[in-house]
Amino acid sequence: MCDIIKMTATELAGKIKNKELSSVEVTKAFLDRIEKVDTKVKAYISVCKDYALKQAKISDDKIAKGEKIGALEGVPIAIKDNILIKDIKMTAASKILENYIAPYDATVITKLKHAGAVFVGKANLDEFAMGSSTENSAFFTTRNPWNIEHIPGGSSGGSACAVAAMTAPLALGTDTGGSIRQPASCCGIVGVKPTYGRVSRFGAVAFASSLDQIGPMSKTVEDSALLLNIIAGYDRKDSTSINIEVPNYLENIKDSIKGLKIGLPKEYFIDGLDKDVKNALDKAIEVYKSLGAEIIEISLPHTDYAVAVYYIICCSEASSNLARYDGVRYGFRANCNNLLDEYQKSRGQGFGAEVKRRIMLGTYALSAGYYDAFYGKAQKVRTLIKQDFENAFNKVDIILTPSAPTPAFKIGEKSSDPLQMYLSDIFTISCNLAAIAAISVPCGFSQKGIPIGMQLLTKHFDEKTMFKVAYAYEQATSWHKEFPKI
Ligand code: GLN
């Protein structure tokens, strides 16, 4: 069993396919592991034990009968609890959806079902994916498997923790401003934010619709490429998904990166950067040099405005998206005698503090008289940020930055200061504003043994180059072979 939980999804899929392992055996190993460690790290809001074992049995039967199987046949995966799986509870880590049962499958779930994946559980998150530490979950805080006094990052903290704690070999997260990459960095795993439009968001709870993307989280780069192969593609149910061909992300992943140009934005490598993060990044840059890449300093001049622009846009869109939780159509309803009271009390009691803060900020930024000064202005600066990247990608193939400004901090350290918390995503936010893709790859540990991540950003729809560059580094180092002692 010990071996099973340390295997990659690619290895597991291979062994299940050639009958060295059964899916039931594999699924049970992960379910046992959840039972053993999840009380300590709390990655899951719900564990789908019976559902998973039933799916696993179906996979095993298919294999026994020699039927056609999927690329992830029989392999377990954890799903962030803001993505719908038909007939399974979906809470978005909010009281307002505490007892909500999903009436249909998200498109990514339909695709995963076709690929044969087994859903072991729904992973914890910051309420409605708003946060960077998973402390905003209405239910409980997830812990970092490398040190349970530290945050796992957020908002996909449960997904990152599940993979790092070896309770699932793969997970899905969502990323609006860094929520896949920052927790991946905090937990020492790989996380991918695909290009906007690459993966359908149909069936994912909308937070900020011009920024949200679903993406893979895994122990290795290859596993994330495999998972993106499955979930990517046009979907007519999501009008923002784009109808261009999905390449095979595993093809060419092992190609040499000799001569490739890697840009280091000077605005990201500033004096105040955490010492451990800087050391890890400096060493990673040396690894790339030794692999034959050319390192070039670049500039992304509007970087300073990214956090402000992001918080205006994401709060504005959230205030509109979250208007649907009115206590009438679905979710929690406060018992009242008149309709207005019912709306107000349902929302007042159903939403947590951070969600309310964002709804208020967003409603303000969109209100008559302020719209041009805040929302309109933010959209203009967003275009400048996008142009910064376009200019940079005329000079380089990939941009390398830290994933997060510090290694995972202690639980409680920033919860009373929202502005400090908002800065956790300073390096990941611009990617969403520019609608490009990025990956976070483990690149070392702090002196206290907390993981550190490196971010590689790529042009629109050029995830192939991103995977190749990430894979080359991963294979030249051994961070993906480290496991927490939990
Ligand atoms: N931490 C950022 C926020 O709170 C990003 C969240 C996300 O990507 N979902 O908005």
Side-chain angles (χ1 to χ4, degrees), residues 259-315:
L260 203 120
K261 295 192 175 84
I262 299 180
L264 305 181
K266 64 171 194 254
E267 293 80 4
Y268 285 58
F269 290 89
I270 39 166
D271 283 347
L273 190 62
D274 179 273
K275 245 184 43 225
D276 289 339
V277 174
K278 185 170 183 315
N279 282 340
L281 268 285
D282 284 346
K283 286 191 187 129
I285 293 164
E286 289 310 313
V287 171
Y288 275 120
K289 283 186 188 158
S290 74
L291 292 169
E294 193 184 333
I295 307 291
I296 299 169
E297 191 188 88
I298 55 161
S299 173
L300 298 167
H302 296 92
T303 298
D304 267 1
Y305 305 107
V307 174
V309 166
Y310 170 81
Y311 276 95
I312 290 172
I313 292 176
C314 88
C315 293

Side-chain angles (χ1 to χ4, degrees), residues 80 129-132 154-155 174-179 207 310-311 314 358 425:
K80 186 174 181 181
M130 297 175 188
S132 309
S155 65
T174 61
D175 191 312
T176 304
S179 275
F207 161 13
Y310 170 81
Y311 276 95
C314 88
R358 296 204 191 191
D425 298 291

Side-chain angles (χ1 to χ4, degrees), residues 316-328:
S316 300
E317 294 181 9
S319 82
S320 161
N321 272 327
L322 271 61
R324 72 189 74 180
Y325 305 102
D326 56 6
V328 176

Side-chain angles (χ1 to χ4, degrees), residues 177-224:
S179 275
I180 288 177
R181 292 157 287 154
Q182 185 259 9
S185 165
C186 289
C187 289
I189 65 157
V190 174
V192 176
K193 198 295 267 184
T195 306
Y196 186 75
R198 181 78 291 186
V199 177
S200 166
R201 291 104 40 95
F202 178 75
V205 175
F207 161 13
S209 304
S210 77
L211 302 159
D212 300 339
Q213 265 296 286
I214 298 173
M217 303 177 83
S218 62
K219 191 71 189 145
T220 64
V221 175
E222 191 179 29
D223 279 1
S224 274

